[in-house]
Amino acid sequence: MPLLTVLEGLHSAEAYNPAFLVGFLERVREVARHPESYRDSLRGRLIATVFEEPSTRTRLSFEAAAQRLGAGLLSVADPKTSSRVKGESLSDSARVIGSYADLLVWRHPCDGASRLVSRCAGIPVINAGDGRLGHPTQTLVDLATLAESWDGFAGRTVGLMGDLAHGRTARSLAWGLTMLGARVLLLPAPGLDWESGFEERVRVRSGYRLGRVEHPLLRAWTGVESARLLEPRGLLQGRLFDDGASRLERLDALYLTRLQRERGAAAEGKGYVGLRPEQLRDPLLRDCLFLHPLPRREEIPPEIDDDPRARYFEQARLGPVVRMTLFLAMLQAASWELPPLTALPAGNPDHPLGVCPNANCITRAEGLPSPWRLAGGEQRIFLCAYCDARLPVEYVGCRSSRKFHPIHSPAVLQIRPENLRPFRERDAARAEGYIWGGG
Ligand code: CP
């Protein structure tokens, strides 16, 4: 299977699918076993890394990976040293740097920045973290860490804990875990849950259902004794309580995340949640691996580091080998066959819906209209094609019949995707000559 279509760019973990992930993790094992075999694989190629937010692991492990493969490196480690401080747009910077290198790795504080860089750069782009939207290569590192200890992911239960509202690593990992059949236990810190629309998209894409589980330890982590569990349809675990929640019997991995203060997050009440040394003896955690993308703060005290279940420094150690594998997959397409990533629906720029409602969207920072895309499945959900924010669409027209309907009308489901014309307001539809088609 041709690979270049796979990895023309890696912007979102939503593009992962089971075949790609299984194939990729096999390749990681191969590179880890024989790294010396790849020493000169990318000699003569040039990789640029641009980090507009601080980073230790991601930038240095990408750069270590490039150097170990023999590639040359261009690096902007501090945005204050680039002409971005003179007001150069992200689009222009991406276009220029894209003309110097063969592949771009970019970190940016705005949601959707990677997709904009990709549109302008003219070369493959890897998202090294964009706002709170995603960190897809961290997900590959996380999955590779778990794959070292597990034969498979199906039937495993992984808790995602902490600042789910602002963190990008847990969001990306949710896409990856559900593609591999793992159950995902949601353990948001009080007041720091992710939005229901995101969770719904993950469930629709993976065919998962939402359940609830109970365990006394959950109260210490989230403030309440029960938690949401995303699980494949058809699975029923544990004993059902009267309210429909089942007893959580085992946790296979716990993924902790830090409070994202730089994105305005603040802990509610007595402080931020975390793993405490006295909790390590709880039978729920007997075989539980502890992961964290790092950097950590108070959520994992250093006393836990020597526990054999702690894997967060192993995660960091695997960063270069995972990123070597990714570079090989993107720049050695002919010799590295992998199943393709799933393409996200392209954004529709012809009928922009105005300003994106997400204040941190890259379209707001760059003064661009927000092209829309459809969320997966049969539902008519319109998202910003850059940052995935749900757009305030109230009416939908059919470009063929020239009729328009309220968004929730069954008639909207009958309109072919290529004929959809979303509107924020009734008057906007009328102004374009659409006629009322009923609710
Ligand atoms: N995990 C991670 O993204 O770490 P850095 O911010 O140090 O790159």
Side-chain angles (χ1 to χ4, degrees):
M1 221 175 284
L3 179 61
L4 198 55
T5 51
V6 176
L7 294 175
E8 284 172 343
L10 176 51
H11 310 295
S12 168
E14 190 176 351
Y16 293 149
N17 56 60
F20 171 81
L21 288 174
V22 169
F24 187 84
L25 293 174
E26 272 168 21
R27 290 302 175 105
V28 170
R29 277 192 285 276
E30 199 176 305
V31 176
R33 267 196 304 272
H34 305 291
E36 68 290 346
S37 310
Y38 302 94
R39 195 179 298 141
D40 288 321
S41 297
L42 297 186
R43 189 155 302 285
R45 311 305 292 270
L46 204 45
I47 291 171
T49 61
V50 181
F51 277 69
E52 301 199 46
E53 275 188 331
S55 168
T56 298
R57 277 146 293 273
T58 311
R59 183 174 68 82
L60 294 178
S61 65
F62 267 119
E63 295 186 358
Q67 305 246 21
R68 288 191 185 282
L69 294 168
L73 201 53
L74 304 172
S75 189
V76 178
D78 178 353
K80 290 198 210 73
T81 65
S82 86
S83 285
R84 293 272 287 138
V85 289
K86 300 177 200 163
E88 184 166 50
S89 68
L90 181 62
S91 313
D92 285 359
S93 296
R95 187 169 174 173
V96 171
I97 300 172
S99 70
Y100 299 159
D102 299 304
L103 186 147
L104 258 176
V105 178
W106 208 295
R107 173 173 284 192
H108 194 279
C110 287
D111 307 338
S114 175
R115 295 174 193 172
L116 180 61
V117 169
S118 180
R119 272 194 54 203
C120 305
I123 58 172
V125 173
I126 297 176
N127 181 2
D130 60 344
R132 61 168 202 163
L133 188 60
H135 196 345
T137 70
Q138 179 66 47
T139 294
L140 297 176
V141 171
D142 302 336
L143 296 176
T145 308
L146 293 170
E148 280 191 331
S149 300
W150 298 348
D151 287 338
F153 288 75
R156 300 282 186 180
T157 304
V158 181
L160 303 181
M161 180 166 156
D163 183 1
L164 303 188
H166 304 91
R168 56 195 173 202
T169 58
R171 278 173 198 265
S172 288
L173 187 54
W175 291 114
L177 289 169
T178 52
M179 280 298 111
L180 291 173
R183 290 190 210 94
V184 179
L185 178 66
L186 301 170
L187 303 168
L192 295 170
D193 206 345
W194 58 33
E195 64 278 10
S196 59
F198 170 72
E199 189 171 306
E200 189 183 338
R201 283 201 295 124
V202 172
R203 276 196 290 115
V204 168
R205 167 92 199 285
S206 56
Y208 272 39
R209 66 173 199 166
L210 179 63
R212 282 200 87 79
V213 287
E214 295 189 341
H215 191 280
L217 207 45
L218 302 185
R219 179 177 289 283
W221 294 340
T222 65
V224 285
E225 250 180 52
S226 74
R228 305 193 307 285
L229 180 73
L230 308 182
E231 60 183 347
R233 287 185 193 284
L235 271 184
L236 259 181
Q237 283 295 311
R239 180 167 61 89
L240 283 181
F241 287 92
D242 291 340
D243 67 354
S246 59
R247 167 91 180 176
L248 182 66
E249 303 288 358
R250 202 183 80 207
L251 199 53
D252 296 293
L254 182 61
Y255 191 86
L256 293 109
T257 60
R258 116 191 117 80
L259 184 66
Q260 302 277 305
R261 290 186 173 88
E262 71 273 32
R263 297 187 213 294
E268 272 186 5
K270 282 184 275 184
Y272 191 56
V273 296
L275 188 60
R276 304 272 75 90
E278 63 274 15
Q279 295 167 350
L280 298 181
R281 289 189 297 275
D282 194 296
L284 182 74
L285 303 180
R286 197 184 59 219
D287 299 312
C288 183
L289 305 177
F290 305 132
L291 276 74
H292 192 304
L294 303 178
R296 61 152 160 205
R297 298 286 296 264
E298 65 273 33
E299 60 278 1
I300 303 185
E303 300 95 283
I304 295 178
D305 295 357
D306 292 332
D307 189 290
R309 294 166 288 184
R311 294 296 158 88
Y312 27 95
F313 288 111
E314 177 62 9
Q315 272 169 281
R317 192 187 69 78
L318 282 177
V321 78
V322 168
R323 286 162 177 132
M324 281 169 75
T325 309
L326 193 55
F327 284 153
L328 288 165
M330 295 180 81
L331 293 173
Q332 291 274 310
S335 52
W336 275 72
E337 292 184 5
L338 275 178
L341 289 168
T342 303
L344 298 185
N348 186 329
D350 298 333
H351 306 291
L353 290 163
V355 176
C356 178
N358 172 10
N360 197 47
C361 177
I362 189 63
T363 58
R364 299 268 290 253
E366 296 274 303
L368 301 170
S370 166
W372 56 267
R373 73 170 173 99
L374 277 184
E378 276 298 297
Q379 306 164 76
R380 297 297 188 227
I381 295 174
F382 294 86
L383 304 178
C384 169
Y386 284 104
C387 77
D388 294 348
R390 194 163 176 165
L391 297 173
V393 171
E394 296 294 337
Y395 298 92
V396 180
C398 173
R399 294 167 66 194
S400 165
S401 71
R402 305 300 290 177
K403 290 182 180 165
F404 75 100
H405 314 268
I407 178 89
H408 297 300
S409 164
V412 171
L413 289 176
Q414 307 303 320
I415 303 173
R416 289 169 182 266
E418 63 272 23
N419 283 336
L420 290 167
R421 171 59 173 117
F423 295 100
R424 288 180 179 225
E425 294 148 7
R426 187 190 286 245
D427 288 349
R430 291 219 163 97
E432 282 193 22
Y434 283 80
I435 54 169
W436 178 242

